[in-house]
Amino acid sequence: MKKLFKKNKTAILISTIGILVLLNIISYTKLWTNLETYFDSKVFNEIATPIATIIAVIIYYGALKSTQNQNAITKSNNDKNYFEEIIKEYQDKAKSTSVKYHNDYSNKSINFTELVEEVIINIDTMIYNEDYQSDLKLLSNGETLTHYNMKLRSYKKEYSFLSKIFTGKSRMSFFIQDIIELLKDIDSSNLTKDDKKILSKKIIRIFIGDYTKFFDEKYSIYPNNTLIPIQTVGKNLRIDFVPIYETPFLKNIKEIKEYQK
């Protein structure tokens, strides 16, 4: 606020000084041209009145602009506090949003904050599995795999977990979509540009920070051709092996990262 007022005040002073200098130049020009005219009050009023009006307009504009900026900052602060509360609620929601393994008799479940680590463990286990490697060869020969085939595979637990996550139909995926909507709300709000950037970066750092392991070149741990088995919708329950970065789940994560720019 002080900086803003100082900038407006400086602009007003500079404008006023400039006008006064111009007035002096005009006055002295008149003086040297016609000394009597210089002291003519009528002529002086004709010069001074519009200048005074201009000065008044400049001062009014500066005050109006300062008030508008202050109102915008106040409104932004109110909205920022609101979104800060929403972020706290989402942090609690992240801990309570969990998914269970299918066919895992230990009934293990993980929440959103543990998801990245568990996804990596399952991918690493799957891609080095002999049945998985054999299935890749079958696919390269044009054969089709179904959900029923997967029940016989030794990596069926990893397939079941990863398929559910990467299809974008799990509670985790719905939570990611909620975060996207929150970022959109922030982007379309009355927040200042700086506040929008601060909140967006905070959300990405809290919820998506670990996903740099998938997208940042420095930390990327899987090549583009890493295939994730995903069950399609239909009577035959066909299994598609989709490149990891083309899966719906990671596409949503990538969309979130766009708000970091």
Side-chain angles (χ1 to χ4, degrees), residues 226-244:
T226 302
L227 299 177
I228 304 296
I230 294 178
Q231 181 180 315
T232 60
V233 178
K235 292 182 179 180
N236 61 0
L237 299 178
R238 189 185 76 250
I239 303 299
D240 286 341
F241 281 66
V242 182
I244 187 170

Side-chain angles (χ1 to χ4, degrees), residues 22-32 38 44 47:
L22 180 62
L23 177 60
N24 277 332
I25 292 172
I26 294 171
S27 299
Y28 280 112
T29 301
K30 291 284 185 180
L31 176 64
W32 290 106
Y38 177 74
F44 180 80
I47 296 172

Side-chain angles (χ1 to χ4, degrees), residues 52-77:
T53 303
I54 292 171
I55 293 174
V57 169
I58 291 172
I59 293 173
Y60 173 76
Y61 175 79
L64 180 62
K65 195 69 177 174
S66 178
T67 301
Q68 288 176 338
N69 289 336
Q70 180 58 34
N71 289 339
I73 291 171
T74 301
K75 194 165 187 179
S76 181
N77 286 336

Side-chain angles (χ1 to χ4, degrees), residues 112-177:
F112 186 82
T113 60
E114 304 164 329
L115 181 61
V116 174
E117 182 181 351
E118 201 65 40
V119 165
I120 291 172
I121 290 172
N122 276 266
I123 293 176
D124 287 346
T125 302
M126 181 184 69
I127 60 179
Y128 295 109
N129 181 277
E130 290 184 4
D131 283 353
Y132 174 81
Q133 294 295 332
S134 297
D135 285 341
L136 293 182
K137 291 179 181 178
L138 290 175
L139 290 169
S140 64
N141 292 329
E143 296 192 34
T144 300
L145 295 174
T146 69
H147 179 65
Y148 302 108
N149 297 129
M150 302 305 287
K151 287 183 177 181
L152 304 175
R153 300 302 192 257
S154 56
Y155 66 96
K156 62 183 179 182
K157 185 188 75 171
E158 289 77 22
Y159 148 72
S160 180
F161 171 72
L162 294 172
S163 179
K164 189 172 184 180
I165 295 296
F166 282 96
T167 51
K169 296 178 181 178
S170 68
R171 292 181 66 194
M172 302 296 190
S173 298
F174 296 146
F175 181 68
I176 289 289
Q177 289 165 17

Side-chain angles (χ1 to χ4, degrees), residues 8 32 40 59 66 76 90 103 106 110 126 131 136 143 155 177 190 193-194 200 202 211-212 245:
N8 286 332
W32 290 106
D40 191 329
I59 293 173
S66 178
S76 181
Y90 272 52
N103 303 320
S106 64
I110 58 170
M126 181 184 69
D131 283 353
L136 293 182
E143 296 192 34
Y155 66 96
Q177 289 165 17
N190 292 315
K193 287 184 178 180
D194 286 343
S200 295
K202 182 175 182 178
Y211 288 89
T212 54
Y245 299 109

